[in-house]
Amino acid sequence: MPGDVLFYLGGAKLFYQKEIETMSRKDIEDLQLRKLRWMVDYCYNNVPFYHERLGQAGITSGGKIKTLSDIQYIPCTTKDDIRDNYPFGLLAVPMKKIVRIHASSGTTGKPTVGAYTQEDLDVWSDLVARVAVAGGATEDDIFQISFGYGLFTGALGLHYGLEKIGATVIPASSGNTNKQLMMFRDFGVTGLVATPSYALYLGEMVRESGFPMSAYKLRLGLLGSEGCTNSMRTQIERSLNIFVTDNYGMTELTGPGVAGECELRQGLHFAEDHFLPEIIDKDTMEQKGPGEPGELVVTTLSRYGMPVLRYRTKDITSITYEPCACGRTHARMQKVMGRTDDMLIIKGVNVFPSQIESALVGMEGVGPHYQLVVRRRNFLDNLEVKVELLNADLLESYGALETLQRKIHDRLKSVLGLDTRVTLAEPKSLERFQGKAKRVLDLRNEPEEK
């Protein structure tokens, strides 16, 4: 498989690795089956954890896998499995072959470690380059990476992928927002890499910077690391005057580049030559059909350092296998609707923060920043939604506040099927985030309110 950057102009469409990204469905599945068989052998022979797991399942060689559907007989891997083998228990190669280590933030328990061989890094940069080109990036762009550099995969992942296509990269890291805006203007930055929540904040600061929009040359945003609803994306595009695409990845699978939107934004194109995605019912583990929502499970097909078989991402989405109008034929994943582990159950109703965000973003009179507070009262969970006002003058009018509060309450009830307590907060009173936004404050273990 070629690893070089191959550009192809077809009308207005620009492809990266065209011959791979436009393979027929049969060729894709044939390639996946060959790689899956190889990966099963590789894991069984090189990773003690998988040797035991696969042996218990009776899958002692790749030859046991006759069709892609046989993947259902392979046991799933979970985040707990990775943490239980912290830090290097899942390595498939000697440590001397590992050239880089990344890790998750480790906010709960020990961090999730990702270990990479040089081959892994080469594939990774190809994958990110593919996503970047699909989103409209070219060698003429100047990208400012406003992810935090460090163990987090996002910054270096996008960094090397963008360099791969010949774009200019500014490793700004996160924070120091005034300096970020100065570099936008002085360096002629055309592309932004950031979390959606930080991009939203940068848009606020651009409006308050005192410089006209003509001082900025921004045109593209490659956003990731957290969910971004269509409403939030629209808000970001308006405030920064950019075109935004979403990309998907996680440390357990390599990092960003697993999937990403093309310029048509009709789903995230999955890199099926390197990953095998499935959608399952999170409770029964049964396979879901095309277009049916469920939990995303992914098997790495080309990872040498730390391969994973059937990793349960906890992300809820759906997959379609219809070719995209852009010409790409790989499966398309819909935007992540939520996670099985950030789902709130309030009075028996499943609630995802993304649902609330979709309802709030774009409402007249309120900003895009919000906080969800969960409390327990009389042994029942209650949800408070704190919403930030755009105009402090509204605080002078009790009637206007009451009307807006009722409007928000009614919209949330329509979306969630649940009564929520709505609190209106002063402008700029809720926390801003330079990394992943933390929207949920869970106080259920605190003493009950009287």
Side-chain angles (χ1 to χ4, degrees):
M1 242 170 289
D4 295 330
V5 180
L6 302 173
F7 292 100
Y8 168 82
L9 282 171
K13 305 297 189 298
L14 184 66
F15 289 88
Y16 175 84
Q17 296 183 322
K18 175 180 180 286
E19 69 275 33
I20 297 172
E21 294 186 80
T22 59
M23 294 170 69
S24 70
R25 174 51 42 189
K26 182 181 183 304
D27 287 345
I28 291 171
E29 292 181 353
D30 286 346
L31 175 63
Q32 288 180 320
L33 183 57
R34 291 197 304 272
K35 283 193 163 189
L36 177 60
R37 287 169 173 165
W38 180 88
M39 183 57 70
V40 168
D41 280 334
Y42 184 68
C43 289
Y44 183 78
N45 294 322
N46 294 284
V47 184
F49 169 81
Y50 282 122
H51 185 90
E52 181 179 353
R53 280 283 180 91
L54 291 168
Q56 291 172 349
I59 305 173
T60 54
S61 75
K64 298 279 188 178
I65 305 297
K66 304 301 182 183
T67 66
L68 283 179
S69 63
D70 288 341
I71 195 171
Q72 65 185 301
Y73 303 116
I74 297 175
C76 285
T77 305
T78 66
K79 186 179 286 287
D80 286 341
D81 291 328
I82 294 177
R83 286 177 174 154
D84 289 346
N85 286 277
Y86 173 89
F88 303 129
L90 295 181
L91 286 185
V93 298
M95 194 66 196
K96 66 181 180 180
K97 295 285 188 180
I98 298 299
V99 298
R100 182 159 345 139
I101 293 170
H102 282 281
S104 68
S105 59
T107 53
T108 57
K110 292 182 178 179
T112 299
V113 172
Y116 305 74
T117 66
Q118 186 57 56
E119 294 88 348
D120 293 332
L121 293 184
D122 292 340
V123 169
W124 189 13
S125 61
D126 271 2
L127 292 171
V128 175
R130 191 187 293 182
V131 165
V133 170
T138 75
E139 61 184 352
D140 296 321
D141 280 305
I142 301 173
F143 270 90
Q144 188 159 310
I145 298 182
S146 299
F147 279 146
Y149 277 74
L151 290 174
F152 169 56
T153 58
L156 285 172
L158 269 296
H159 185 125
Y160 282 94
L162 288 166
E163 285 187 343
K164 186 95 175 183
I165 69 171
T168 302
V169 175
I170 302 170
S173 196
S174 59
N176 201 340
T177 301
N178 288 332
K179 188 174 182 180
Q180 300 268 0
L181 302 187
M182 180 192 73
M183 289 189 289
F184 283 167
R185 298 187 299 267
D186 294 352
F187 295 169
V189 174
T190 59
L192 170 66
V193 173
T195 62
S197 51
Y198 191 46
L200 201 60
Y201 180 56
L202 286 169
E204 282 187 352
M205 294 301 100
V206 163
R207 291 195 301 273
E208 297 180 9
S209 67
F211 290 86
M213 284 305 300
S214 59
Y216 299 90
K217 296 182 179 180
L218 287 166
R219 71 178 194 91
L220 286 176
L222 301 180
L223 308 184
S225 183
E226 64 184 19
C228 182
T229 62
N230 289 334
S231 299
M232 186 176 186
R233 179 174 68 191
T234 299
Q235 188 99 357
I236 293 169
E237 288 181 328
R238 288 174 178 168
S239 64
L240 288 173
N241 196 28
I242 60 176
F243 178 82
V244 169
T245 57
D246 196 4
N247 59 81
Y248 177 83
M250 55 179 56
T251 303
E252 297 89 331
L253 304 177
T254 291
V258 175
E261 288 181 307
C262 70
E263 292 174 275
L264 298 183
R265 301 194 298 199
Q266 297 297 311
L268 284 73
H269 294 266
F270 227 93
E272 287 193 278
D273 51 325
H274 294 291
F275 304 96
L276 179 56
E278 308 167 68
I279 300 294
I280 67 168
D281 184 293
K282 69 181 183 67
D283 297 318
T284 67
M285 303 293 290
E286 292 179 357
Q287 302 256 342
K288 293 276 195 172
E292 293 184 314
E295 181 180 351
L296 176 66
V297 173
V298 182
T299 295
T300 61
L301 299 176
S302 308
R303 198 175 185 191
Y304 291 94
M306 192 176 280
V308 291
L309 299 176
R310 302 197 75 203
Y311 181 70
R312 294 190 64 171
T313 67
K314 297 187 177 181
D315 287 327
I316 297 175
T317 183
S318 63
I319 288 180
T320 179
Y321 294 91
E322 294 296 321
C324 181
C326 76
R328 295 174 176 84
T329 55
H330 289 211
R332 282 173 290 150
M333 178 182 87
Q334 295 308 303
K335 279 180 174 289
V336 173
M337 293 177 276
R339 286 179 55 81
T340 60
D341 57 354
D342 72 1
M343 179 180 73
L344 301 172
I345 302 178
I346 309 296
K347 298 178 181 176
V349 177
N350 294 345
V351 177
F352 290 100
S354 58
Q355 292 175 293
I356 294 172
E357 181 178 293
S358 295
L360 293 177
V361 173
M363 281 192 72
E364 186 177 354
V366 300
H369 301 282
Y370 64 94
Q371 184 182 52
L372 311 181
V373 184
V374 187
R375 296 182 177 89
R376 183 161 289 146
R377 190 171 187 178
N378 297 326
F379 306 103
L380 292 175
D381 291 339
N382 290 270
L383 176 63
E384 177 187 7
V385 182
K386 292 185 176 181
V387 186
E388 194 175 87
L389 294 170
L390 282 178
N391 187 352
D393 292 343
L394 202 62
L395 295 169
E396 304 299 322
S397 173
Y398 179 80
L401 281 176
E402 190 175 49
T403 299
L404 179 58
Q405 192 174 39
R406 173 55 59 181
K407 183 178 179 181
I408 295 170
H409 171 274
D410 291 347
R411 180 176 290 192
L412 290 175
K413 186 172 183 178
S414 175
V415 171
L416 304 176
L418 180 75
D419 273 312
T420 59
R421 176 184 173 187
V422 175
T423 301
L424 299 178
E426 294 183 8
K428 297 188 177 180
S429 61
L430 297 181
E431 185 178 359
R432 272 37 174 181
F433 300 93
Q434 296 176 0
K436 288 187 178 182
K438 298 175 182 178
R439 305 290 193 193
V440 180
L441 180 60
D442 193 337
L443 302 178
R444 283 175 288 189
N445 290 325
E446 300 294 321
E448 286 194 10
E449 290 186 335
K450 300 299 184 181

